[in-house]
Amino acid sequence: MFFKREFPPLARSLAFVMGDADIGADTAQESFLRVFTRWDRYASPDHARRSAIRIGMNLARSRWRREHRMEPLGDRAEESPGPDVEDRLVLGAAISGLSPRQRSCVVLVDYLGFDVAEAARILRMIPSTVRVHLVRGRRRLAVTLQGSYLEERE
């Protein structure tokens, strides 16, 4: 029951953070596997849920670091998708431009609806650090998205 209830939102969130639904689902599964192997350590299902989110975000950050460390330089071939897909690609590109911590904070607070204190507990940060990452992430998103909007208008 716990898995059925908690897996879909975590998989969607990680897909949003990572920019790929399949990778997000795989990461969510890995996160739940780690939670279930240590189930006896959790005081409540809510504690296990927060731990699964934190583990998932940490796995996403680790994957991001690995991929960006080995990412080749140069232009990538771009396809011309439909308008809905283009909007998602613009948003995905804007989010991928954030640091891993900014991305985690923005997704937890703005996408999943956690308050700053809960996001801080999940990410094991102090609330003021989460607020700093939120402000910087939101500012960077606004600049990036406004720039892509202006490019479309020209």
Side-chain angles (χ1 to χ4, degrees):
M1 190 67 165
F2 175 80
F3 180 79
K4 281 184 175 182
R5 185 181 68 241
E6 301 298 336
F7 181 79
L10 180 60
R12 281 191 306 269
S13 302
L14 290 171
F16 188 64
V17 166
M18 301 177 90
D20 186 313
D22 293 332
I23 294 173
D26 289 346
T27 305
Q29 286 177 353
E30 175 68 23
S31 176
F32 276 105
L33 178 65
R34 291 183 184 192
V35 166
F36 285 129
T37 58
R38 298 177 179 176
W39 187 256
D40 57 329
R41 295 183 183 183
Y42 300 109
S44 67
D46 189 49
H47 182 213
R49 179 180 62 87
R50 287 192 316 262
S51 293
I53 293 169
R54 181 180 37 77
I55 291 167
M57 292 297 178
N58 287 340
L59 288 170
R61 277 197 302 263
S62 294
R63 184 181 181 100
W64 184 86
R65 285 185 196 117
R66 265 193 320 274
E67 288 175 356
H68 283 77
R69 187 176 19 213
M70 298 188 299
E71 184 175 299
L73 298 175
D75 296 334
R76 297 180 189 155
E78 292 190 25
E79 302 171 9
S80 58
D84 291 337
V85 176
E86 282 182 17
D87 290 344
R88 276 189 253 145
L89 288 175
V90 168
L91 183 59
I95 288 176
S96 69
L98 300 177
S99 74
R101 287 188 178 201
Q102 289 172 352
R103 189 179 318 153
S104 296
C105 292
V106 168
V107 168
L108 284 173
V109 175
D110 293 338
Y111 183 70
L112 290 177
F114 287 105
D115 62 357
V116 171
E118 184 69 17
R121 269 193 298 264
I122 290 169
L123 297 172
R124 293 188 176 170
M125 296 178 183
I126 58 174
S128 61
T129 303
V130 171
R131 283 191 291 274
V132 167
H133 287 302
L134 271 174
V135 167
R136 290 178 182 170
R138 288 172 178 164
R139 189 177 301 142
R140 196 170 197 184
L141 280 174
V143 167
T144 303
L145 292 174
Q146 185 176 4
S148 62
Y149 175 74
L150 292 175
E151 288 173 8
E152 287 178 11
R153 303 239 359 178
E154 291 177 350

